[in-house]
Amino acid sequence: MNRVDSTANLSAATPAGKRAAPAAEHLLVWYDRHRRRLPWRAEPGVAADPYKVWLSEIMLQQTTVKAVGPYFAAFLDAFPTVEALAAVPLEEVLRRWAGLGYYARARNLHACARAVVERHGGRFPDTEAGLRALPGIGPYTAAAVAAIAFDQPAAAVDGNVERVIARLVALETPLPAAKPEIRALAERLVPLARAGDFAQALMDLGATICTPRAPACVLCPWGEACAARAAGTQETFPRKVAKAARPLKRGAAFWLVRGGAEVLLRRRPQKGLLGGMAEVPGTAWQAEFDAAGALAAAPLAADWRRLAGTVRHGFTHFELELLVFAADVPASTPVPDGGWWQPVEDIDGAGLPTVMMKIARLASAVRDSDRDGRSW
C-alpha cells in the first residue's frame, strides 16, 4: 500500500486545487472524543477480539448497526468462540441468522469458522492476504479485520467511507466505477500508527457526520479539507449511476396446518437464493406465473382456500409477490417427503427467513379474523 504519514495531502487530487490536508491526526482526535460505543468494538486501550471484529463485519454487510445489535449479542451467547461456531451444524447457524437477510453470509460465516479452526488452529490470520484466503471474506472485510483486529495498515472502504472520500475530492466518477479510485485515495490517508482506530474513525465519520443527507459539515474534523463542502455540493456526492427497476416475480405459497396445531415446512436446496433455509412450501418464483394452475404444485391434496391479500418482499435483484393458499388436514396426516410438521406456536423456532415469516403472519391474521366458524 502507498501509505503516508499524518501529514497526508490529497490536494493534488482535488479539482479545487490547494486546500488544507485531510490529516489523520485530526480525524483521530475527533474519534477519541466521539467514537461510537458498539457491542463488538473494544474500549480504548483494550485489544480488539478478532472473532468479534470478523463476526460484526460479516453481519454488517448490507445491514444497519441497529439491526445487527441483537443478532450479534445472540450469536455471541450461542457461539462465544470461533470453535463453538465451527462445531455446530449449518442448520443451527441458519436458524439463528433468520431475519437478518442475505443468507449466503450465514453459510460463508460457518464455512469460514471451520476453515479458521481446521487450517489455523482457531486463530484468524493477521494479514489481508491471509484473511482473503478464507471463505466469504472479500477485500473490504479482509481490510477491516486486518486493520481493526491487528492494526495492520489496511484501507477498509465501505459505503460510508466511499461517501467521505468522494466528497473530500468532489469525485465526478460515478459509483460503482469510482470504487478503485476511491480505494486508492483512501489508502493514501491511512496513518503509520493507529490504523485500526483510523479505520473505525472513518466509518464513524460517514455514519454520524458525513451522512447521505444533511451532513453536519460544521462538526466535521475534515471540513476545511473537503472540496465538495467548499463548493456547497456535498449532498450530490458520491455520483451514482441510476439503478434499473427491479423485475417482478410471482408465485404461490401453501400454508398447510395439521390437526390445528402444526404447519408443514421444508428446507430449500443448499445452493441458490435462501439456500438451506426453512420455508413454507410453494411454487417456483417466476416472471410469468399461472395463478389458476398454482394448486398443481400443492404439497398435498386438500380443501385449499386462497387467502385475501398478498405477500410482497424485495430481494436484491427482484421484487416478489406471493399468493397464499391455506388448508387444514387431520392430525393423522403423514409428513410429505422432505418436509416436517412445525408447531404453529413455535413458528419462530423454525428459523424462517423474513419472506416466509410474512406468509406466516398473513395466515395467522386471516385465521384470527375468520368469523364464520371455518378454519380458514
Side-chain angles (χ1 to χ4, degrees):
M1 177 187 300
N2 180 25
R3 290 184 297 119
V4 293
D5 62 19
S6 60
T7 61
N9 194 325
L10 297 188
S11 60
T14 66
K18 295 189 180 299
R19 195 183 325 279
E25 66 261 30
H26 295 166
L27 182 62
L28 288 168
V29 167
W30 172 85
Y31 177 69
D32 289 340
R33 295 174 180 170
H34 303 290
R35 59 187 290 154
R36 291 180 293 177
R37 296 179 66 91
L38 301 172
W40 46 84
R41 181 173 286 178
E43 292 296 317
V46 177
D49 181 341
Y51 175 62
K52 291 182 180 179
V53 174
W54 164 74
L55 178 60
S56 68
E57 290 297 339
I58 299 298
M59 287 187 165
L60 286 165
Q61 292 170 10
Q62 299 176 296
T63 309
T64 64
V65 167
K66 182 178 180 180
V68 165
Y71 283 90
F72 180 82
F75 255 72
L76 272 191
D77 185 56
F79 318 120
T81 65
V82 70
E83 290 87 354
L85 179 57
V88 300
L90 174 60
E91 289 72 23
E92 176 65 11
V93 178
L94 290 170
R95 185 179 70 82
R96 292 185 179 274
W97 192 275
L100 196 53
Y102 300 98
Y103 295 96
R105 294 180 300 168
R107 296 192 294 275
N108 287 332
L109 188 85
H110 189 246
C112 185
R114 290 193 164 180
V116 169
V117 171
E118 293 168 4
R119 301 180 201 170
H120 303 283
R123 297 175 65 87
F124 282 86
D126 61 3
T127 65
E128 284 187 83
L131 290 161
R132 283 290 304 275
L134 295 171
I137 294 187
Y140 165 74
T141 304
V145 176
I148 299 169
F150 302 108
D151 212 31
Q152 294 292 316
V157 182
D158 65 357
N160 284 324
V161 175
E162 287 177 343
R163 185 168 58 255
V164 171
I165 299 299
R167 287 173 174 173
L168 270 177
V169 301
L171 185 62
E172 291 293 341
T173 308
L175 289 170
K179 286 180 178 290
E181 191 172 354
I182 289 174
R183 181 172 180 80
L185 292 170
E187 288 176 345
R188 293 174 57 188
L189 288 167
V190 178
L192 294 170
R194 297 187 66 187
D197 283 344
F198 180 81
Q200 294 175 107
L202 202 47
M203 295 172 192
D204 281 9
L205 184 68
T208 65
I209 300 294
C210 196
T211 51
R213 297 179 181 84
C217 297
V218 295
L219 302 178
C220 180
W222 281 350
E224 296 301 317
C226 183
R229 183 197 179 192
T233 57
Q234 54 268 47
E235 288 195 48
T236 69
F237 292 96
R239 308 293 201 212
K240 295 181 180 179
V241 175
K243 292 183 178 179
R246 290 183 293 184
L248 174 66
K249 294 186 179 183
R250 301 173 63 231
F254 304 106
W255 185 259
L256 185 64
V257 176
R258 183 175 76 163
E262 299 172 307
V263 64
L264 179 64
L265 299 180
R266 66 186 183 190
R267 195 163 298 283
R268 293 177 65 85
Q270 288 295 334
K271 292 186 178 181
L273 186 64
L274 305 180
M277 299 295 294
E279 71 167 356
V280 177
T283 66
W285 301 340
Q286 300 173 325
E288 300 297 329
F289 171 66
D290 178 18
L295 287 178
L300 289 175
D303 184 16
W304 291 100
R305 169 188 171 190
R306 178 177 164 181
L307 304 185
T310 56
V311 167
R312 294 180 175 84
H313 189 75
F315 290 97
T316 303
H317 300 297
F318 67 93
E319 295 287 337
L320 179 64
E321 186 176 279
L322 296 175
L323 306 179
V324 180
F325 294 85
D328 282 278
V329 291
S332 58
T333 304
V335 65
D337 290 344
W340 73 90
W341 298 108
Q342 178 76 16
V344 175
E345 291 187 354
D346 187 34
I347 195 66
D348 290 343
L352 291 173
T354 301
V355 62
M356 299 299 161
M357 285 303 298
K358 289 181 179 180
I359 296 168
R361 286 194 290 269
L362 174 62
S364 297
V366 171
R367 178 171 287 234
D368 290 345
S369 64
D370 203 333
R371 299 178 181 177
D372 61 9
R374 297 178 299 172
S375 296
W376 297 103

